[in-house]
Amino acid sequence: MSSLSRVAEELKRGRRFLIVGHVMPDGDCIGSMLALSLACERAGKETVLALPGPVPSIYSFLPAVDRICVEPALLQRGTDAFSAVVILDTSVPERLGNLEPVINELRASGTPAILIDHHVSAAAYADLNFVDPGAAAVGEIIFDLLKLLGWQIDRMIATCLYVTVATDTGGFRYETTTAATHRRVAEFIEAGANVREISLRVFEEKPFKSIEALRAALNTLELSPCGRVAWMSLTREVAAGLQLADEHTDGIVSYGRMIEGVEVALFFREMDDGRVKVSFRSKNFVNASRLAAQFGGGGHPRAAGAVVQGELERIKAAVIEAAVAAVREEGQ
Amino acid sequence: MSSLSRVAEELKRGRRFLIVGHVMPDGDCIGSMLALSLACERAGKETVLALPGPVPSIYSFLPAVDRICVEPALLQRGTDAFSAVVILDTSVPERLGNLEPVINELRASGTPAILIDHHVSAAAYADLNFVDPGAAAVGEIIFDLLKLLGWQIDRMIATCLYVTVATDTGGFRYETTTAATHRRVAEFIEAGANVREISLRVFEEKPFKSIEALRAALNTLELSPCGRVAWMSLTREVAAGLQLADEHTDGIVSYGRMIEGVEVALFFREMDDGRVKVSFRSKNFVNASRLAAQFGGGGHPRAAGAVVQGELERIKAAVIEAAVAAVREEGQ
């Protein structure tokens, strides 16, 4: 593992950087990319930003967000060489999606890759790897990096960094949120991040379709006789009728977990190709990742997912049975 | 206005305190009372805690919460005299509910009253008044007070203080959340407040009835043709069928405000006595307090309420019309 000062040296020395993130980019990925890009630019460097998927609309207010290129073909219009490729928040190269071959090609022709990440499971697949699983967000590492470089944090950079931490800690609620996290956030606010404006945009502003999706899902909410497992579902017909995209059903599963007494919440979403996406959430003790693994999926101890081939009602019955069994066995 | 060190002197000098809060007590009120009580006790003082209403179930996990007496008659079993009555988070004496006469009696017989509050509108009705509208929560003032006194913050006190700030800032999202707020929260975490456990209890754990109430309300969600006003309602029949209490419908109105493009969200709840409780929320510019005032209510610029006599459908029509007009006029 490299030290953060090695990464700082590379940034200081280089002149032009390609900054990239992962498929289904989230607030930490996008905010970290933009903060680093803005800081590099103010230090007289050039940056090119690329993502293997579109920026969700809730992040469209972020400064400089329109710099992010989501069409890898455009990157190949070779002009100047890149001093390095900086890969953010991406634990394994597969998560680079359609950017992976582009980056492999750059590396094959001599461009070094720098990875900055905070996932416990991160592989050291780049040339320089800085992975800190203790960081609540990659944005925390970017902030420390900028301080190390002595580069100034202005209002735009502070806004991006605030978003990285606020989103990746679920609004400062996850156990990754430390005293040091709150002290960094204090600095973001002092540098000009507008708490109310950002919170409204990121947490309290949703497309009408998201509310319609929540309403449709809540109308299917059921509880197991023991009261420890809750589930909701959305059929292909309902999703098509409401013209829902993936982002509209994000977070619905957490309404099941909220219920007093519930240990495992499940959300079943029938996809266009007929497969069923299952989201698993647990509250206190059930290992959601192990539960999802029974259906070919995986994830974290309290949040996991799987995509299952088969008929919705049959899949529901099997997953609910497994969840009730997990509560019974792991709750001993 | 008194200084905080004057309040500290009184606490240092006294031996036995009555600590009280307001009707419909919230996380800031309850957490501040408990934190102050625990700290006084560790400093060798005695405290008696009283509230004019029950503690909502989500706060039942707070340390020492069972000390809070909600039956004012019990306070009159006069034993020792109180050195002072400490009134927390209560901007006007009317908000003391059934404790007001008890406190008036104590004051008449020579017990001084100390007010600690952070409402802009707070009246200086006590003998010693410390009101800081810049504080995000009364809990912030209690923390500063304990520091001033040199009294130690242990894990239990830190837990109570964390809850005051987390709840009164809506999860660190309101504009009252400053850099200093986050630095205080960092100290609560260092003193042992468990972020994940508290967040689960306070924000992510709801009675099943609350989810049922949300489902019932969402099924009535409508938008004005202009898309700027959203409303939901719960009839007396539906509320009775689900056996809903007030706490189960808390926060429902915010789902209307979340919708992209919506400026004013309304929630109509028919009460047992046939009157209709109307909640008003605005996003960016409409003065919700002025809107509520048209119907005999009041509140803050972005959150207000009114209780209206009359028939639900007629009240809905009138309030919606006023809200659409306010959006048109104030949005110029």
PDB file of all heavy atoms in Angstrom, chain B residues 46-68:
ATOM      1  N   GLU B  46     -29.187  16.952  43.377  1.00  0.00           N
ATOM      2  CA  GLU B  46     -30.402  16.168  43.164  1.00  0.00           C
ATOM      3  C   GLU B  46     -31.225  16.848  42.085  1.00  0.00           C
ATOM      4  O   GLU B  46     -31.248  18.086  42.004  1.00  0.00           O
ATOM      5  CB  GLU B  46     -31.232  16.200  44.439  1.00  0.00           C
ATOM      6  CG  GLU B  46     -31.457  14.867  45.092  1.00  0.00           C
ATOM      7  CD  GLU B  46     -32.324  15.069  46.324  1.00  0.00           C
ATOM      8  OE1 GLU B  46     -33.560  15.169  46.168  1.00  0.00           O
ATOM      9  OE2 GLU B  46     -31.747  15.173  47.432  1.00  0.00           O
ATOM     10  N   THR B  47     -31.927  16.062  41.240  1.00  0.00           N
ATOM     11  CA  THR B  47     -32.822  16.673  40.255  1.00  0.00           C
ATOM     12  C   THR B  47     -34.146  15.933  40.220  1.00  0.00           C
ATOM     13  O   THR B  47     -34.209  14.732  40.477  1.00  0.00           O
ATOM     14  CB  THR B  47     -32.226  16.638  38.826  1.00  0.00           C
ATOM     15  OG1 THR B  47     -31.959  15.281  38.483  1.00  0.00           O
ATOM     16  CG2 THR B  47     -30.957  17.456  38.717  1.00  0.00           C
ATOM     17  N   VAL B  48     -35.201  16.682  39.898  1.00  0.00           N
ATOM     18  CA  VAL B  48     -36.520  16.105  39.648  1.00  0.00           C
ATOM     19  C   VAL B  48     -36.898  16.568  38.244  1.00  0.00           C
ATOM     20  O   VAL B  48     -36.719  17.737  37.900  1.00  0.00           O
ATOM     21  CB  VAL B  48     -37.549  16.617  40.685  1.00  0.00           C
ATOM     22  CG1 VAL B  48     -38.956  16.136  40.322  1.00  0.00           C
ATOM     23  CG2 VAL B  48     -37.157  16.152  42.083  1.00  0.00           C
ATOM     24  N   LEU B  49     -37.369  15.628  37.390  1.00  0.00           N
ATOM     25  CA  LEU B  49     -37.675  15.957  36.000  1.00  0.00           C
ATOM     26  C   LEU B  49     -39.172  15.831  35.745  1.00  0.00           C
ATOM     27  O   LEU B  49     -39.773  14.814  36.117  1.00  0.00           O
ATOM     28  CB  LEU B  49     -36.923  15.015  35.050  1.00  0.00           C
ATOM     29  CG  LEU B  49     -35.443  15.333  34.820  1.00  0.00           C
ATOM     30  CD1 LEU B  49     -34.636  15.023  36.056  1.00  0.00           C
ATOM     31  CD2 LEU B  49     -34.896  14.558  33.642  1.00  0.00           C
ATOM     32  N   ALA B  50     -39.744  16.835  35.106  1.00  0.00           N
ATOM     33  CA  ALA B  50     -41.177  16.770  34.823  1.00  0.00           C
ATOM     34  C   ALA B  50     -41.487  17.321  33.445  1.00  0.00           C
ATOM     35  O   ALA B  50     -40.885  18.293  32.989  1.00  0.00           O
ATOM     36  CB  ALA B  50     -41.952  17.552  35.884  1.00  0.00           C
ATOM     37  N   LEU B  51     -42.458  16.682  32.780  1.00  0.00           N
ATOM     38  CA  LEU B  51     -42.936  17.121  31.464  1.00  0.00           C
ATOM     39  C   LEU B  51     -44.455  17.169  31.469  1.00  0.00           C
ATOM     40  O   LEU B  51     -45.089  16.340  32.131  1.00  0.00           O
ATOM     41  CB  LEU B  51     -42.484  16.130  30.381  1.00  0.00           C
ATOM     42  CG  LEU B  51     -41.082  16.314  29.817  1.00  0.00           C
ATOM     43  CD1 LEU B  51     -40.744  15.185  28.869  1.00  0.00           C
ATOM     44  CD2 LEU B  51     -40.986  17.664  29.088  1.00  0.00           C
ATOM     45  N   PRO B  52     -45.040  18.100  30.710  1.00  0.00           N
ATOM     46  CA  PRO B  52     -46.507  18.173  30.637  1.00  0.00           C
ATOM     47  C   PRO B  52     -47.106  17.211  29.615  1.00  0.00           C
ATOM     48  O   PRO B  52     -48.262  17.381  29.226  1.00  0.00           O
ATOM     49  CB  PRO B  52     -46.746  19.628  30.230  1.00  0.00           C
ATOM     50  CG  PRO B  52     -45.527  20.022  29.471  1.00  0.00           C
ATOM     51  CD  PRO B  52     -44.385  19.214  30.019  1.00  0.00           C
ATOM     52  N   GLY B  53     -46.360  16.231  29.163  1.00  0.00           N
ATOM     53  CA  GLY B  53     -46.902  15.266  28.210  1.00  0.00           C
ATOM     54  C   GLY B  53     -45.976  14.077  28.113  1.00  0.00           C
ATOM     55  O   GLY B  53     -44.840  14.143  28.572  1.00  0.00           O
ATOM     56  N   PRO B  54     -46.450  12.968  27.531  1.00  0.00           N
ATOM     57  CA  PRO B  54     -45.666  11.741  27.511  1.00  0.00           C
ATOM     58  C   PRO B  54     -44.443  11.831  26.596  1.00  0.00           C
ATOM     59  O   PRO B  54     -44.428  12.595  25.637  1.00  0.00           O
ATOM     60  CB  PRO B  54     -46.652  10.699  26.999  1.00  0.00           C
ATOM     61  CG  PRO B  54     -47.667  11.461  26.229  1.00  0.00           C
ATOM     62  CD  PRO B  54     -47.758  12.814  26.858  1.00  0.00           C
ATOM     63  N   VAL B  55     -43.445  11.036  26.908  1.00  0.00           N
ATOM     64  CA  VAL B  55     -42.235  10.931  26.094  1.00  0.00           C
ATOM     65  C   VAL B  55     -42.548  10.022  24.896  1.00  0.00           C
ATOM     66  O   VAL B  55     -42.967   8.879  25.090  1.00  0.00           O
ATOM     67  CB  VAL B  55     -41.090  10.320  26.932  1.00  0.00           C
ATOM     68  CG1 VAL B  55     -39.879  10.019  26.069  1.00  0.00           C
ATOM     69  CG2 VAL B  55     -40.719  11.247  28.080  1.00  0.00           C
ATOM     70  N   PRO B  56     -42.384  10.518  23.640  1.00  0.00           N
ATOM     71  CA  PRO B  56     -42.646   9.649  22.481  1.00  0.00           C
ATOM     72  C   PRO B  56     -41.785   8.382  22.544  1.00  0.00           C
ATOM     73  O   PRO B  56     -40.650   8.417  23.028  1.00  0.00           O
ATOM     74  CB  PRO B  56     -42.233  10.519  21.282  1.00  0.00           C
ATOM     75  CG  PRO B  56     -42.323  11.930  21.767  1.00  0.00           C
ATOM     76  CD  PRO B  56     -41.976  11.872  23.220  1.00  0.00           C
ATOM     77  N   SER B  57     -42.354   7.270  22.058  1.00  0.00           N
ATOM     78  CA  SER B  57     -41.694   5.975  22.244  1.00  0.00           C
ATOM     79  C   SER B  57     -40.299   5.925  21.627  1.00  0.00           C
ATOM     80  O   SER B  57     -39.449   5.187  22.119  1.00  0.00           O
ATOM     81  CB  SER B  57     -42.573   4.851  21.691  1.00  0.00           C
ATOM     82  OG  SER B  57     -42.753   5.045  20.297  1.00  0.00           O
ATOM     83  N   ILE B  58     -40.037   6.696  20.577  1.00  0.00           N
ATOM     84  CA  ILE B  58     -38.691   6.605  19.974  1.00  0.00           C
ATOM     85  C   ILE B  58     -37.605   7.085  20.931  1.00  0.00           C
ATOM     86  O   ILE B  58     -36.443   6.787  20.725  1.00  0.00           O
ATOM     87  CB  ILE B  58     -38.538   7.375  18.632  1.00  0.00           C
ATOM     88  CG1 ILE B  58     -38.893   8.861  18.757  1.00  0.00           C
ATOM     89  CG2 ILE B  58     -39.324   6.730  17.527  1.00  0.00           C
ATOM     90  CD1 ILE B  58     -38.351   9.678  17.576  1.00  0.00           C
ATOM     91  N   TYR B  59     -37.961   7.824  21.973  1.00  0.00           N
ATOM     92  CA  TYR B  59     -36.939   8.297  22.920  1.00  0.00           C
ATOM     93  C   TYR B  59     -36.860   7.429  24.170  1.00  0.00           C
ATOM     94  O   TYR B  59     -36.132   7.750  25.105  1.00  0.00           O
ATOM     95  CB  TYR B  59     -37.215   9.753  23.302  1.00  0.00           C
ATOM     96  CG  TYR B  59     -37.196  10.664  22.109  1.00  0.00           C
ATOM     97  CD1 TYR B  59     -38.319  11.374  21.712  1.00  0.00           C
ATOM     98  CD2 TYR B  59     -36.035  10.784  21.337  1.00  0.00           C
ATOM     99  CE1 TYR B  59     -38.297  12.184  20.587  1.00  0.00           C
ATOM    100  CE2 TYR B  59     -36.003  11.583  20.208  1.00  0.00           C
ATOM    101  CZ  TYR B  59     -37.142  12.279  19.842  1.00  0.00           C
ATOM    102  OH  TYR B  59     -37.112  13.072  18.721  1.00  0.00           O
ATOM    103  N   SER B  60     -37.610   6.339  24.176  1.00  0.00           N
ATOM    104  CA  SER B  60     -37.655   5.517  25.386  1.00  0.00           C
ATOM    105  C   SER B  60     -36.325   4.819  25.654  1.00  0.00           C
ATOM    106  O   SER B  60     -36.113   4.278  26.734  1.00  0.00           O
ATOM    107  CB  SER B  60     -38.782   4.492  25.282  1.00  0.00           C
ATOM    108  OG  SER B  60     -38.525   3.655  24.184  1.00  0.00           O
ATOM    109  N   PHE B  61     -35.405   4.826  24.681  1.00  0.00           N
ATOM    110  CA  PHE B  61     -34.106   4.175  24.896  1.00  0.00           C
ATOM    111  C   PHE B  61     -33.115   5.098  25.602  1.00  0.00           C
ATOM    112  O   PHE B  61     -32.025   4.666  25.995  1.00  0.00           O
ATOM    113  CB  PHE B  61     -33.512   3.745  23.542  1.00  0.00           C
ATOM    114  CG  PHE B  61     -32.912   4.885  22.753  1.00  0.00           C
ATOM    115  CD1 PHE B  61     -31.526   5.108  22.774  1.00  0.00           C
ATOM    116  CD2 PHE B  61     -33.707   5.752  22.008  1.00  0.00           C
ATOM    117  CE1 PHE B  61     -30.956   6.149  22.062  1.00  0.00           C
ATOM    118  CE2 PHE B  61     -33.147   6.800  21.308  1.00  0.00           C
ATOM    119  CZ  PHE B  61     -31.771   6.999  21.338  1.00  0.00           C
ATOM    120  N   LEU B  62     -33.474   6.370  25.782  1.00  0.00           N
ATOM    121  CA  LEU B  62     -32.514   7.326  26.348  1.00  0.00           C
ATOM    122  C   LEU B  62     -32.193   6.995  27.799  1.00  0.00           C
ATOM    123  O   LEU B  62     -33.080   6.605  28.562  1.00  0.00           O
ATOM    124  CB  LEU B  62     -33.049   8.753  26.230  1.00  0.00           C
ATOM    125  CG  LEU B  62     -32.906   9.390  24.845  1.00  0.00           C
ATOM    126  CD1 LEU B  62     -33.567  10.762  24.816  1.00  0.00           C
ATOM    127  CD2 LEU B  62     -31.433   9.515  24.454  1.00  0.00           C
ATOM    128  N   PRO B  63     -30.917   7.168  28.192  1.00  0.00           N
ATOM    129  CA  PRO B  63     -30.536   6.874  29.569  1.00  0.00           C
ATOM    130  C   PRO B  63     -31.338   7.712  30.564  1.00  0.00           C
ATOM    131  O   PRO B  63     -31.544   8.908  30.333  1.00  0.00           O
ATOM    132  CB  PRO B  63     -29.049   7.249  29.634  1.00  0.00           C
ATOM    133  CG  PRO B  63     -28.639   7.748  28.310  1.00  0.00           C
ATOM    134  CD  PRO B  63     -29.782   7.608  27.364  1.00  0.00           C
ATOM    135  N   ALA B  64     -31.809   7.090  31.619  1.00  0.00           N
ATOM    136  CA  ALA B  64     -32.491   7.769  32.729  1.00  0.00           C
ATOM    137  C   ALA B  64     -33.849   8.348  32.349  1.00  0.00           C
ATOM    138  O   ALA B  64     -34.421   9.137  33.096  1.00  0.00           O
ATOM    139  CB  ALA B  64     -31.596   8.864  33.324  1.00  0.00           C
ATOM    140  N   VAL B  65     -34.387   7.922  31.176  1.00  0.00           N
ATOM    141  CA  VAL B  65     -35.648   8.518  30.701  1.00  0.00           C
ATOM    142  C   VAL B  65     -36.805   8.235  31.677  1.00  0.00           C
ATOM    143  O   VAL B  65     -37.763   9.020  31.753  1.00  0.00           O
ATOM    144  CB  VAL B  65     -35.974   8.042  29.270  1.00  0.00           C
ATOM    145  CG1 VAL B  65     -36.402   6.588  29.245  1.00  0.00           C
ATOM    146  CG2 VAL B  65     -37.009   8.935  28.593  1.00  0.00           C
ATOM    147  N   ASP B  66     -36.703   7.141  32.448  1.00  0.00           N
ATOM    148  CA  ASP B  66     -37.809   6.798  33.357  1.00  0.00           C
ATOM    149  C   ASP B  66     -37.849   7.690  34.597  1.00  0.00           C
ATOM    150  O   ASP B  66     -38.757   7.599  35.413  1.00  0.00           O
ATOM    151  CB  ASP B  66     -37.781   5.308  33.739  1.00  0.00           C
ATOM    152  CG  ASP B  66     -36.394   4.866  34.138  1.00  0.00           C
ATOM    153  OD1 ASP B  66     -35.502   5.760  34.231  1.00  0.00           O
ATOM    154  OD2 ASP B  66     -36.178   3.657  34.341  1.00  0.00           O
ATOM    155  N   ARG B  67     -36.861   8.586  34.702  1.00  0.00           N
ATOM    156  CA  ARG B  67     -36.926   9.604  35.768  1.00  0.00           C
ATOM    157  C   ARG B  67     -37.961  10.673  35.505  1.00  0.00           C
ATOM    158  O   ARG B  67     -38.300  11.442  36.398  1.00  0.00           O
ATOM    159  CB  ARG B  67     -35.611  10.397  35.788  1.00  0.00           C
ATOM    160  CG  ARG B  67     -34.518   9.677  36.394  1.00  0.00           C
ATOM    161  CD  ARG B  67     -33.331  10.621  36.476  1.00  0.00           C
ATOM    162  NE  ARG B  67     -32.199   9.786  36.779  1.00  0.00           N
ATOM    163  CZ  ARG B  67     -30.973  10.193  36.885  1.00  0.00           C
ATOM    164  NH1 ARG B  67     -30.706  11.476  36.696  1.00  0.00           N
ATOM    165  NH2 ARG B  67     -30.019   9.371  37.167  1.00  0.00           N
ATOM    166  N   ILE B  68     -38.353  10.813  34.223  1.00  0.00           N
ATOM    167  CA  ILE B  68     -39.224  11.938  33.883  1.00  0.00           C
ATOM    168  C   ILE B  68     -40.637  11.670  34.371  1.00  0.00           C
ATOM    169  O   ILE B  68     -41.257  10.676  34.006  1.00  0.00           O
ATOM    170  CB  ILE B  68     -39.227  12.203  32.363  1.00  0.00           C
ATOM    171  CG1 ILE B  68     -37.809  12.575  31.907  1.00  0.00           C
ATOM    172  CG2 ILE B  68     -40.225  13.300  31.996  1.00  0.00           C
ATOM    173  CD1 ILE B  68     -37.672  12.797  30.421  1.00  0.00           C
TER     174      ILE B  68
END
